[in-house]
Amino acid sequence: MDYIFPKNFLWGGAVAANQCEGAWNEDGKLDSIQDHMPFGIVKEPTENVPKENLKLKGIDFYHHYKEDIALFAQMGFKIFRFSIAWSRIFPRGDEEFPNEKGLSFYDQVIDECLKYNIEPMVTISHYETPFYLSKKYDGWKSHEMIEFYVRYAKVLLNRYKGKVRYWITFNEMNSLWNFPLMGAGIWTPSSQLSKQDLYQTAHHEFIASSKVVKLAHEIDPSNKVGCMILGLANYPRTANPDDVMAALNEDHRGLFFADVLMRGYYPSYALKEMKRYKIELKTSKEELETLKNTCDFLSFSYYMSKCIAKDASLYEEGKGNLTTGVKNPYLKESEWGWAIDPQGLRYLLNTYYERYQKPLFIVENGLGAKDVLMEESVNGWYVDDIYRINYLNDHLKEVWKAIEIDGVDCLGYTAWGCIDLVSASTAQMSKRYGFIYVDRNDDGSGTLKRYKKRSFFWYKDIISSNGKLLK
Ligand code: BG6
């Protein structure tokens, strides 16, 4: 079988500023919440910026971007998704005027991409709320964030007009439920937040996102703006209708964010829940009208599926990406316990496309694994990551089936952490996703030298054959 993808399919890779740039306080940048999370999500954040935080240094993309983008070009990338660090552009977040040095850094990154005909795709906010906004305003819990965010986005939309066409307003909005600090910059500990707080926070993000969609279209009608969710296939653990309904509820928790931003209004299940909990959103007619500026596409990350049971205590816990469920006995897991499920990606593509009938974009997918750097190269590669090749190969075949057999409109695919970077959840370097190995260890040591992995050559072949070489 030949797995040939549509002619204009956008193949590429993805990173986030806080996980790769380093240079956390250079050229006027101030700290973001990530600079206070030395252990990722596994422990509480710290009030001061701890020196041992790997995210402060990342892989020093800030000074290596030319070399790195050249490597992406060698693989034949058509698109490169990266985020802009808000705290480089508005260091505190609530200033009136942007930091020119921050903007000029991204001028260079974008121009470097365009030099190789790589389409830049910008995530406006990827888990990196400026710390000042988090501390002073409690992040997105505050209505004032809308104004700060729209001002920031407007600067980007004007500055990169004609150069950037693909925009994502927020990374994985649905992470708000479980990780309000990372997802929405809320400094108050999650144990002290009520359902009302969380719904109100989501509402502020919805309004901000919709305003930016409107603005983006006004500034340049060729702009395409997507919202993004953490994509999870939730399977009922058994055919017991109790488990099926529990899985449906879990779907609602995740899809709520896409439902509002893709359809332009609150879904009935959420309105009913708010009523049950006596939640009253502080909003206005005008704000609800703004929601009608719906997104052009839905983007999502996909790493794993999980099982849901009404009584989870009956089963072994399944670990996952910012979420938990119960283990699926039919699936193998990654070294970090994430269930490997290529068909889950096809399932999700179908689910989302049927629900919204708008283009989809897979903006993250990949395997976090411990790689071993070899001293001598074999055919130019220094890491034999056949396990990653297998993972990606199997997932991409399911993407092809979704497109060619099921008729899903999928614009492209950006493999996560196309160059090794610091893990979001654990702040480790040793959880690697890249086609390019970066010599940096968990203790911060290493030369930062870049080495090609076996998957580098594999992905290059897949892109140049437009999928034909998938096996
Ligand atoms: C996604 C995030 O949830 O998963 C990324 O958008 C993150 O920022 C990725 O890096 C993989 O997770 P982790 O914890 O392995 O880095």
PDB file of all heavy atoms in Angstrom, residues 125 127 168-179 183-184 201-210 226-230 253-254 256-258 261 295 299:
ATOM      1  N   SER A 125       0.615  31.790  22.922  1.00  0.00           N
ATOM      2  CA  SER A 125       0.835  31.535  24.352  1.00  0.00           C
ATOM      3  C   SER A 125       0.940  30.032  24.604  1.00  0.00           C
ATOM      4  O   SER A 125      -0.039  29.306  24.482  1.00  0.00           O
ATOM      5  CB  SER A 125      -0.332  32.129  25.148  1.00  0.00           C
ATOM      6  OG  SER A 125      -0.184  31.846  26.513  1.00  0.00           O
ATOM      7  N   TYR A 127       2.010  27.937  27.549  1.00  0.00           N
ATOM      8  CA  TYR A 127       2.387  27.640  28.938  1.00  0.00           C
ATOM      9  C   TYR A 127       3.441  28.588  29.494  1.00  0.00           C
ATOM     10  O   TYR A 127       4.238  28.188  30.345  1.00  0.00           O
ATOM     11  CB  TYR A 127       2.914  26.201  29.046  1.00  0.00           C
ATOM     12  CG  TYR A 127       1.893  25.117  28.823  1.00  0.00           C
ATOM     13  CD1 TYR A 127       2.290  23.831  28.458  1.00  0.00           C
ATOM     14  CD2 TYR A 127       0.539  25.348  29.002  1.00  0.00           C
ATOM     15  CE1 TYR A 127       1.363  22.816  28.265  1.00  0.00           C
ATOM     16  CE2 TYR A 127      -0.389  24.347  28.811  1.00  0.00           C
ATOM     17  CZ  TYR A 127       0.028  23.080  28.448  1.00  0.00           C
ATOM     18  OH  TYR A 127      -0.900  22.075  28.266  1.00  0.00           O
ATOM     19  N   ILE A 168      -1.795  30.056  16.438  1.00  0.00           N
ATOM     20  CA  ILE A 168      -2.546  29.289  17.440  1.00  0.00           C
ATOM     21  C   ILE A 168      -2.647  30.186  18.668  1.00  0.00           C
ATOM     22  O   ILE A 168      -1.625  30.717  19.139  1.00  0.00           O
ATOM     23  CB  ILE A 168      -1.814  27.974  17.782  1.00  0.00           C
ATOM     24  CG1 ILE A 168      -1.844  27.041  16.564  1.00  0.00           C
ATOM     25  CG2 ILE A 168      -2.428  27.296  18.996  1.00  0.00           C
ATOM     26  CD1 ILE A 168      -1.024  25.783  16.735  1.00  0.00           C
ATOM     27  N   THR A 169      -3.851  30.375  19.181  1.00  0.00           N
ATOM     28  CA  THR A 169      -4.001  31.357  20.267  1.00  0.00           C
ATOM     29  C   THR A 169      -3.440  30.849  21.602  1.00  0.00           C
ATOM     30  O   THR A 169      -2.668  31.558  22.257  1.00  0.00           O
ATOM     31  CB  THR A 169      -5.474  31.789  20.427  1.00  0.00           C
ATOM     32  OG1 THR A 169      -6.288  30.622  20.511  1.00  0.00           O
ATOM     33  CG2 THR A 169      -5.914  32.656  19.265  1.00  0.00           C
ATOM     34  N   PHE A 170      -3.813  29.645  22.022  1.00  0.00           N
ATOM     35  CA  PHE A 170      -3.311  29.104  23.294  1.00  0.00           C
ATOM     36  C   PHE A 170      -2.953  27.635  23.095  1.00  0.00           C
ATOM     37  O   PHE A 170      -3.690  26.914  22.426  1.00  0.00           O
ATOM     38  CB  PHE A 170      -4.392  29.129  24.387  1.00  0.00           C
ATOM     39  CG  PHE A 170      -4.766  30.507  24.851  1.00  0.00           C
ATOM     40  CD1 PHE A 170      -5.869  31.150  24.293  1.00  0.00           C
ATOM     41  CD2 PHE A 170      -4.048  31.148  25.844  1.00  0.00           C
ATOM     42  CE1 PHE A 170      -6.241  32.416  24.717  1.00  0.00           C
ATOM     43  CE2 PHE A 170      -4.410  32.419  26.275  1.00  0.00           C
ATOM     44  CZ  PHE A 170      -5.508  33.060  25.704  1.00  0.00           C
ATOM     45  N   ASN A 171      -1.889  27.217  23.736  1.00  0.00           N
ATOM     46  CA  ASN A 171      -1.558  25.800  23.717  1.00  0.00           C
ATOM     47  C   ASN A 171      -2.474  25.031  24.674  1.00  0.00           C
ATOM     48  O   ASN A 171      -2.698  25.468  25.812  1.00  0.00           O
ATOM     49  CB  ASN A 171      -0.109  25.613  24.175  1.00  0.00           C
ATOM     50  CG  ASN A 171       0.371  24.183  24.031  1.00  0.00           C
ATOM     51  OD1 ASN A 171       0.398  23.638  22.925  1.00  0.00           O
ATOM     52  ND2 ASN A 171       0.736  23.551  25.144  1.00  0.00           N
ATOM     53  N   GLU A 172      -3.007  23.909  24.217  1.00  0.00           N
ATOM     54  CA  GLU A 172      -3.737  22.959  25.068  1.00  0.00           C
ATOM     55  C   GLU A 172      -4.609  23.620  26.135  1.00  0.00           C
ATOM     56  O   GLU A 172      -4.363  23.484  27.348  1.00  0.00           O
ATOM     57  CB  GLU A 172      -2.747  21.999  25.741  1.00  0.00           C
ATOM     58  CG  GLU A 172      -1.986  21.178  24.733  1.00  0.00           C
ATOM     59  CD  GLU A 172      -1.081  20.119  25.338  1.00  0.00           C
ATOM     60  OE1 GLU A 172      -0.667  20.270  26.496  1.00  0.00           O
ATOM     61  OE2 GLU A 172      -0.778  19.143  24.657  1.00  0.00           O
ATOM     62  N   MET A 173      -5.639  24.309  25.680  1.00  0.00           N
ATOM     63  CA  MET A 173      -6.486  25.065  26.612  1.00  0.00           C
ATOM     64  C   MET A 173      -7.089  24.189  27.704  1.00  0.00           C
ATOM     65  O   MET A 173      -7.290  24.633  28.825  1.00  0.00           O
ATOM     66  CB  MET A 173      -7.623  25.729  25.848  1.00  0.00           C
ATOM     67  CG  MET A 173      -7.143  26.732  24.841  1.00  0.00           C
ATOM     68  SD  MET A 173      -8.536  27.624  24.157  1.00  0.00           S
ATOM     69  CE  MET A 173      -8.794  28.862  25.415  1.00  0.00           C
ATOM     70  N   ASN A 174      -7.387  22.918  27.336  1.00  0.00           N
ATOM     71  CA  ASN A 174      -8.075  22.060  28.304  1.00  0.00           C
ATOM     72  C   ASN A 174      -7.203  21.613  29.472  1.00  0.00           C
ATOM     73  O   ASN A 174      -7.690  20.995  30.411  1.00  0.00           O
ATOM     74  CB  ASN A 174      -8.708  20.841  27.614  1.00  0.00           C
ATOM     75  CG  ASN A 174      -7.795  20.157  26.627  1.00  0.00           C
ATOM     76  OD1 ASN A 174      -6.865  20.757  26.100  1.00  0.00           O
ATOM     77  ND2 ASN A 174      -8.044  18.888  26.363  1.00  0.00           N
ATOM     78  N   SER A 175      -5.906  21.969  29.442  1.00  0.00           N
ATOM     79  CA  SER A 175      -5.058  21.627  30.593  1.00  0.00           C
ATOM     80  C   SER A 175      -5.431  22.477  31.812  1.00  0.00           C
ATOM     81  O   SER A 175      -4.993  22.206  32.923  1.00  0.00           O
ATOM     82  CB  SER A 175      -3.582  21.815  30.244  1.00  0.00           C
ATOM     83  OG  SER A 175      -3.363  23.170  29.925  1.00  0.00           O
ATOM     84  N   LEU A 176      -6.233  23.506  31.576  1.00  0.00           N
ATOM     85  CA  LEU A 176      -6.671  24.370  32.674  1.00  0.00           C
ATOM     86  C   LEU A 176      -7.277  23.570  33.821  1.00  0.00           C
ATOM     87  O   LEU A 176      -7.003  23.834  34.992  1.00  0.00           O
ATOM     88  CB  LEU A 176      -7.706  25.375  32.139  1.00  0.00           C
ATOM     89  CG  LEU A 176      -8.539  26.115  33.193  1.00  0.00           C
ATOM     90  CD1 LEU A 176      -7.689  27.097  33.980  1.00  0.00           C
ATOM     91  CD2 LEU A 176      -9.692  26.861  32.536  1.00  0.00           C
ATOM     92  N   TRP A 177      -8.107  22.579  33.506  1.00  0.00           N
ATOM     93  CA  TRP A 177      -8.808  21.833  34.578  1.00  0.00           C
ATOM     94  C   TRP A 177      -7.822  21.238  35.579  1.00  0.00           C
ATOM     95  O   TRP A 177      -8.030  21.318  36.778  1.00  0.00           O
ATOM     96  CB  TRP A 177      -9.652  20.696  34.008  1.00  0.00           C
ATOM     97  CG  TRP A 177     -10.808  21.055  33.136  1.00  0.00           C
ATOM     98  CD1 TRP A 177     -11.184  20.388  32.012  1.00  0.00           C
ATOM     99  CD2 TRP A 177     -11.778  22.120  33.293  1.00  0.00           C
ATOM    100  NE1 TRP A 177     -12.310  20.965  31.461  1.00  0.00           N
ATOM    101  CE2 TRP A 177     -12.692  22.024  32.222  1.00  0.00           C
ATOM    102  CE3 TRP A 177     -11.952  23.147  34.219  1.00  0.00           C
ATOM    103  CZ2 TRP A 177     -13.765  22.904  32.062  1.00  0.00           C
ATOM    104  CZ3 TRP A 177     -13.019  24.025  34.061  1.00  0.00           C
ATOM    105  CH2 TRP A 177     -13.901  23.900  33.003  1.00  0.00           C
ATOM    106  N   ASN A 178      -6.765  20.596  35.074  1.00  0.00           N
ATOM    107  CA  ASN A 178      -5.851  19.896  35.984  1.00  0.00           C
ATOM    108  C   ASN A 178      -4.638  20.727  36.390  1.00  0.00           C
ATOM    109  O   ASN A 178      -4.064  20.491  37.446  1.00  0.00           O
ATOM    110  CB  ASN A 178      -5.344  18.590  35.346  1.00  0.00           C
ATOM    111  CG  ASN A 178      -6.465  17.599  35.138  1.00  0.00           C
ATOM    112  OD1 ASN A 178      -7.529  17.732  35.740  1.00  0.00           O
ATOM    113  ND2 ASN A 178      -6.253  16.624  34.282  1.00  0.00           N
ATOM    114  N   PHE A 179      -4.231  21.659  35.543  1.00  0.00           N
ATOM    115  CA  PHE A 179      -3.012  22.432  35.837  1.00  0.00           C
ATOM    116  C   PHE A 179      -3.230  23.927  35.600  1.00  0.00           C
ATOM    117  O   PHE A 179      -2.738  24.502  34.634  1.00  0.00           O
ATOM    118  CB  PHE A 179      -1.841  21.904  34.992  1.00  0.00           C
ATOM    119  CG  PHE A 179      -1.501  20.494  35.326  1.00  0.00           C
ATOM    120  CD1 PHE A 179      -1.988  19.444  34.562  1.00  0.00           C
ATOM    121  CD2 PHE A 179      -0.743  20.200  36.448  1.00  0.00           C
ATOM    122  CE1 PHE A 179      -1.729  18.131  34.901  1.00  0.00           C
ATOM    123  CE2 PHE A 179      -0.478  18.888  36.802  1.00  0.00           C
ATOM    124  CZ  PHE A 179      -0.962  17.855  36.023  1.00  0.00           C
ATOM    125  N   GLY A 183      -1.503  25.950  32.662  1.00  0.00           N
ATOM    126  CA  GLY A 183      -2.478  26.214  31.611  1.00  0.00           C
ATOM    127  C   GLY A 183      -2.936  27.659  31.548  1.00  0.00           C
ATOM    128  O   GLY A 183      -3.170  28.193  30.470  1.00  0.00           O
ATOM    129  N   ALA A 184      -3.050  28.305  32.704  1.00  0.00           N
ATOM    130  CA  ALA A 184      -3.660  29.646  32.691  1.00  0.00           C
ATOM    131  C   ALA A 184      -2.941  30.641  33.596  1.00  0.00           C
ATOM    132  O   ALA A 184      -3.485  31.700  33.912  1.00  0.00           O
ATOM    133  CB  ALA A 184      -5.130  29.546  33.079  1.00  0.00           C
ATOM    134  N   THR A 201     -12.165  31.614  34.361  1.00  0.00           N
ATOM    135  CA  THR A 201     -10.842  31.685  33.716  1.00  0.00           C
ATOM    136  C   THR A 201     -10.950  31.260  32.257  1.00  0.00           C
ATOM    137  O   THR A 201     -10.446  31.940  31.354  1.00  0.00           O
ATOM    138  CB  THR A 201      -9.850  30.755  34.456  1.00  0.00           C
ATOM    139  OG1 THR A 201      -9.733  31.221  35.794  1.00  0.00           O
ATOM    140  CG2 THR A 201      -8.490  30.743  33.797  1.00  0.00           C
ATOM    141  N   ALA A 202     -11.614  30.127  32.046  1.00  0.00           N
ATOM    142  CA  ALA A 202     -11.784  29.635  30.661  1.00  0.00           C
ATOM    143  C   ALA A 202     -12.494  30.703  29.836  1.00  0.00           C
ATOM    144  O   ALA A 202     -12.115  30.980  28.693  1.00  0.00           O
ATOM    145  CB  ALA A 202     -12.592  28.338  30.660  1.00  0.00           C
ATOM    146  N   HIS A 203     -13.481  31.328  30.434  1.00  0.00           N
ATOM    147  CA  HIS A 203     -14.252  32.344  29.711  1.00  0.00           C
ATOM    148  C   HIS A 203     -13.343  33.502  29.272  1.00  0.00           C
ATOM    149  O   HIS A 203     -13.430  33.980  28.134  1.00  0.00           O
ATOM    150  CB  HIS A 203     -15.391  32.858  30.591  1.00  0.00           C
ATOM    151  CG  HIS A 203     -16.260  33.851  29.891  1.00  0.00           C
ATOM    152  ND1 HIS A 203     -17.098  33.505  28.856  1.00  0.00           N
ATOM    153  CD2 HIS A 203     -16.384  35.199  30.053  1.00  0.00           C
ATOM    154  CE1 HIS A 203     -17.722  34.586  28.418  1.00  0.00           C
ATOM    155  NE2 HIS A 203     -17.298  35.631  29.119  1.00  0.00           N
ATOM    156  N   HIS A 204     -12.459  33.921  30.161  1.00  0.00           N
ATOM    157  CA  HIS A 204     -11.547  35.014  29.790  1.00  0.00           C
ATOM    158  C   HIS A 204     -10.672  34.602  28.603  1.00  0.00           C
ATOM    159  O   HIS A 204     -10.437  35.380  27.685  1.00  0.00           O
ATOM    160  CB  HIS A 204     -10.658  35.394  30.983  1.00  0.00           C
ATOM    161  CG  HIS A 204     -11.426  35.961  32.134  1.00  0.00           C
ATOM    162  ND1 HIS A 204     -11.010  35.844  33.444  1.00  0.00           N
ATOM    163  CD2 HIS A 204     -12.610  36.645  32.176  1.00  0.00           C
ATOM    164  CE1 HIS A 204     -11.898  36.440  34.233  1.00  0.00           C
ATOM    165  NE2 HIS A 204     -12.873  36.929  33.488  1.00  0.00           N
ATOM    166  N   GLU A 205     -10.218  33.363  28.646  1.00  0.00           N
ATOM    167  CA  GLU A 205      -9.389  32.891  27.526  1.00  0.00           C
ATOM    168  C   GLU A 205     -10.208  32.812  26.233  1.00  0.00           C
ATOM    169  O   GLU A 205      -9.707  33.112  25.152  1.00  0.00           O
ATOM    170  CB  GLU A 205      -8.762  31.532  27.852  1.00  0.00           C
ATOM    171  CG  GLU A 205      -7.723  31.620  28.952  1.00  0.00           C
ATOM    172  CD  GLU A 205      -6.890  30.343  29.118  1.00  0.00           C
ATOM    173  OE1 GLU A 205      -7.386  29.251  28.769  1.00  0.00           O
ATOM    174  OE2 GLU A 205      -5.755  30.440  29.589  1.00  0.00           O
ATOM    175  N   PHE A 206     -11.452  32.391  26.359  1.00  0.00           N
ATOM    176  CA  PHE A 206     -12.306  32.303  25.156  1.00  0.00           C
ATOM    177  C   PHE A 206     -12.482  33.684  24.517  1.00  0.00           C
ATOM    178  O   PHE A 206     -12.377  33.834  23.301  1.00  0.00           O
ATOM    179  CB  PHE A 206     -13.709  31.769  25.508  1.00  0.00           C
ATOM    180  CG  PHE A 206     -13.727  30.325  25.942  1.00  0.00           C
ATOM    181  CD1 PHE A 206     -14.691  29.859  26.833  1.00  0.00           C
ATOM    182  CD2 PHE A 206     -12.790  29.417  25.461  1.00  0.00           C
ATOM    183  CE1 PHE A 206     -14.721  28.532  27.227  1.00  0.00           C
ATOM    184  CE2 PHE A 206     -12.811  28.085  25.852  1.00  0.00           C
ATOM    185  CZ  PHE A 206     -13.777  27.644  26.741  1.00  0.00           C
ATOM    186  N   ILE A 207     -12.746  34.659  25.365  1.00  0.00           N
ATOM    187  CA  ILE A 207     -12.984  36.006  24.824  1.00  0.00           C
ATOM    188  C   ILE A 207     -11.703  36.515  24.172  1.00  0.00           C
ATOM    189  O   ILE A 207     -11.718  37.065  23.062  1.00  0.00           O
ATOM    190  CB  ILE A 207     -13.462  36.972  25.945  1.00  0.00           C
ATOM    191  CG1 ILE A 207     -14.778  36.467  26.550  1.00  0.00           C
ATOM    192  CG2 ILE A 207     -13.628  38.398  25.406  1.00  0.00           C
ATOM    193  CD1 ILE A 207     -15.904  36.255  25.568  1.00  0.00           C
ATOM    194  N   ALA A 208     -10.586  36.308  24.867  1.00  0.00           N
ATOM    195  CA  ALA A 208      -9.299  36.773  24.327  1.00  0.00           C
ATOM    196  C   ALA A 208      -9.020  36.098  22.983  1.00  0.00           C
ATOM    197  O   ALA A 208      -8.641  36.749  22.004  1.00  0.00           O
ATOM    198  CB  ALA A 208      -8.185  36.466  25.323  1.00  0.00           C
ATOM    199  N   SER A 209      -9.228  34.793  22.930  1.00  0.00           N
ATOM    200  CA  SER A 209      -8.956  34.045  21.710  1.00  0.00           C
ATOM    201  C   SER A 209      -9.857  34.533  20.568  1.00  0.00           C
ATOM    202  O   SER A 209      -9.387  34.782  19.447  1.00  0.00           O
ATOM    203  CB  SER A 209      -9.171  32.548  21.965  1.00  0.00           C
ATOM    204  OG  SER A 209      -8.875  31.794  20.834  1.00  0.00           O
ATOM    205  N   SER A 210     -11.128  34.724  20.856  1.00  0.00           N
ATOM    206  CA  SER A 210     -12.060  35.163  19.798  1.00  0.00           C
ATOM    207  C   SER A 210     -11.731  36.569  19.311  1.00  0.00           C
ATOM    208  O   SER A 210     -11.869  36.869  18.125  1.00  0.00           O
ATOM    209  CB  SER A 210     -13.507  35.168  20.300  1.00  0.00           C
ATOM    210  OG  SER A 210     -13.777  34.006  20.996  1.00  0.00           O
ATOM    211  N   GLY A 226      -6.026  29.087  14.666  1.00  0.00           N
ATOM    212  CA  GLY A 226      -6.565  27.868  15.253  1.00  0.00           C
ATOM    213  C   GLY A 226      -6.592  27.945  16.764  1.00  0.00           C
ATOM    214  O   GLY A 226      -5.827  28.685  17.376  1.00  0.00           O
ATOM    215  N   CYS A 227      -7.510  27.157  17.358  1.00  0.00           N
ATOM    216  CA  CYS A 227      -7.394  26.949  18.795  1.00  0.00           C
ATOM    217  C   CYS A 227      -6.749  25.580  18.953  1.00  0.00           C
ATOM    218  O   CYS A 227      -6.611  24.835  17.982  1.00  0.00           O
ATOM    219  CB  CYS A 227      -8.751  27.011  19.488  1.00  0.00           C
ATOM    220  SG  CYS A 227      -9.956  25.859  18.853  1.00  0.00           S
ATOM    221  N   MET A 228      -6.322  25.286  20.157  1.00  0.00           N
ATOM    222  CA  MET A 228      -5.613  24.027  20.325  1.00  0.00           C
ATOM    223  C   MET A 228      -6.012  23.342  21.617  1.00  0.00           C
ATOM    224  O   MET A 228      -6.141  23.993  22.657  1.00  0.00           O
ATOM    225  CB  MET A 228      -4.102  24.307  20.329  1.00  0.00           C
ATOM    226  CG  MET A 228      -3.294  23.038  20.208  1.00  0.00           C
ATOM    227  SD  MET A 228      -1.962  23.033  21.361  1.00  0.00           S
ATOM    228  CE  MET A 228      -1.310  21.405  21.178  1.00  0.00           C
ATOM    229  N   ILE A 229      -6.206  22.042  21.527  1.00  0.00           N
ATOM    230  CA  ILE A 229      -6.492  21.271  22.747  1.00  0.00           C
ATOM    231  C   ILE A 229      -5.550  20.077  22.840  1.00  0.00           C
ATOM    232  O   ILE A 229      -4.969  19.646  21.848  1.00  0.00           O
ATOM    233  CB  ILE A 229      -7.955  20.766  22.804  1.00  0.00           C
ATOM    234  CG1 ILE A 229      -8.312  19.969  21.546  1.00  0.00           C
ATOM    235  CG2 ILE A 229      -8.923  21.910  23.019  1.00  0.00           C
ATOM    236  CD1 ILE A 229      -9.639  19.227  21.650  1.00  0.00           C
ATOM    237  N   LEU A 230      -5.425  19.609  24.062  1.00  0.00           N
ATOM    238  CA  LEU A 230      -4.694  18.370  24.299  1.00  0.00           C
ATOM    239  C   LEU A 230      -5.631  17.248  23.854  1.00  0.00           C
ATOM    240  O   LEU A 230      -6.707  17.070  24.430  1.00  0.00           O
ATOM    241  CB  LEU A 230      -4.378  18.294  25.794  1.00  0.00           C
ATOM    242  CG  LEU A 230      -3.452  17.225  26.322  1.00  0.00           C
ATOM    243  CD1 LEU A 230      -2.906  17.668  27.671  1.00  0.00           C
ATOM    244  CD2 LEU A 230      -4.113  15.888  26.467  1.00  0.00           C
ATOM    245  N   ARG A 253     -15.278  17.224  29.109  1.00  0.00           N
ATOM    246  CA  ARG A 253     -14.284  18.065  29.812  1.00  0.00           C
ATOM    247  C   ARG A 253     -13.233  18.612  28.852  1.00  0.00           C
ATOM    248  O   ARG A 253     -12.802  19.747  28.942  1.00  0.00           O
ATOM    249  CB  ARG A 253     -13.567  17.225  30.885  1.00  0.00           C
ATOM    250  CG  ARG A 253     -14.116  17.373  32.274  1.00  0.00           C
ATOM    251  CD  ARG A 253     -13.559  16.275  33.156  1.00  0.00           C
ATOM    252  NE  ARG A 253     -12.113  16.395  33.418  1.00  0.00           N
ATOM    253  CZ  ARG A 253     -11.591  17.127  34.377  1.00  0.00           C
ATOM    254  NH1 ARG A 253     -12.361  17.835  35.163  1.00  0.00           N
ATOM    255  NH2 ARG A 253     -10.287  17.173  34.571  1.00  0.00           N
ATOM    256  N   GLY A 254     -12.807  17.769  27.917  1.00  0.00           N
ATOM    257  CA  GLY A 254     -11.758  18.191  26.987  1.00  0.00           C
ATOM    258  C   GLY A 254     -12.311  19.003  25.827  1.00  0.00           C
ATOM    259  O   GLY A 254     -11.740  20.018  25.432  1.00  0.00           O
ATOM    260  N   PHE A 256     -14.997  20.759  25.604  1.00  0.00           N
ATOM    261  CA  PHE A 256     -15.644  22.017  25.977  1.00  0.00           C
ATOM    262  C   PHE A 256     -14.934  23.211  25.331  1.00  0.00           C
ATOM    263  O   PHE A 256     -15.557  24.092  24.727  1.00  0.00           O
ATOM    264  CB  PHE A 256     -15.627  22.117  27.518  1.00  0.00           C
ATOM    265  CG  PHE A 256     -15.924  23.477  28.060  1.00  0.00           C
ATOM    266  CD1 PHE A 256     -17.112  24.127  27.758  1.00  0.00           C
ATOM    267  CD2 PHE A 256     -15.015  24.131  28.886  1.00  0.00           C
ATOM    268  CE1 PHE A 256     -17.394  25.388  28.278  1.00  0.00           C
ATOM    269  CE2 PHE A 256     -15.277  25.391  29.403  1.00  0.00           C
ATOM    270  CZ  PHE A 256     -16.474  26.032  29.093  1.00  0.00           C
ATOM    271  N   PHE A 257     -13.608  23.209  25.413  1.00  0.00           N
ATOM    272  CA  PHE A 257     -12.825  24.358  24.926  1.00  0.00           C
ATOM    273  C   PHE A 257     -12.950  24.498  23.408  1.00  0.00           C
ATOM    274  O   PHE A 257     -13.145  25.595  22.886  1.00  0.00           O
ATOM    275  CB  PHE A 257     -11.358  24.201  25.351  1.00  0.00           C
ATOM    276  CG  PHE A 257     -11.216  24.213  26.841  1.00  0.00           C
ATOM    277  CD1 PHE A 257     -11.444  23.073  27.595  1.00  0.00           C
ATOM    278  CD2 PHE A 257     -10.888  25.385  27.500  1.00  0.00           C
ATOM    279  CE1 PHE A 257     -11.353  23.091  28.976  1.00  0.00           C
ATOM    280  CE2 PHE A 257     -10.799  25.414  28.878  1.00  0.00           C
ATOM    281  CZ  PHE A 257     -11.032  24.265  29.617  1.00  0.00           C
ATOM    282  N   ALA A 258     -12.837  23.372  22.720  1.00  0.00           N
ATOM    283  CA  ALA A 258     -12.967  23.421  21.258  1.00  0.00           C
ATOM    284  C   ALA A 258     -14.411  23.712  20.869  1.00  0.00           C
ATOM    285  O   ALA A 258     -14.666  24.442  19.912  1.00  0.00           O
ATOM    286  CB  ALA A 258     -12.504  22.098  20.655  1.00  0.00           C
ATOM    287  N   LEU A 261     -14.905  27.482  21.026  1.00  0.00           N
ATOM    288  CA  LEU A 261     -14.139  28.281  20.059  1.00  0.00           C
ATOM    289  C   LEU A 261     -14.359  27.887  18.606  1.00  0.00           C
ATOM    290  O   LEU A 261     -14.163  28.697  17.705  1.00  0.00           O
ATOM    291  CB  LEU A 261     -12.645  28.223  20.402  1.00  0.00           C
ATOM    292  CG  LEU A 261     -12.303  28.926  21.722  1.00  0.00           C
ATOM    293  CD1 LEU A 261     -10.827  28.805  22.022  1.00  0.00           C
ATOM    294  CD2 LEU A 261     -12.722  30.389  21.706  1.00  0.00           C
ATOM    295  N   CYS A 295     -12.747  29.863  15.187  1.00  0.00           N
ATOM    296  CA  CYS A 295     -11.412  29.559  14.644  1.00  0.00           C
ATOM    297  C   CYS A 295     -11.499  28.942  13.250  1.00  0.00           C
ATOM    298  O   CYS A 295     -12.491  28.298  12.900  1.00  0.00           O
ATOM    299  CB  CYS A 295     -10.701  28.580  15.566  1.00  0.00           C
ATOM    300  SG  CYS A 295     -10.202  29.352  17.092  1.00  0.00           S
ATOM    301  N   SER A 299      -6.492  22.672  16.112  1.00  0.00           N
ATOM    302  CA  SER A 299      -5.224  21.947  16.210  1.00  0.00           C
ATOM    303  C   SER A 299      -5.206  21.194  17.536  1.00  0.00           C
ATOM    304  O   SER A 299      -5.897  21.555  18.479  1.00  0.00           O
ATOM    305  CB  SER A 299      -4.045  22.911  16.099  1.00  0.00           C
ATOM    306  OG  SER A 299      -4.079  23.884  17.106  1.00  0.00           O
TER     307      SER A 299
END
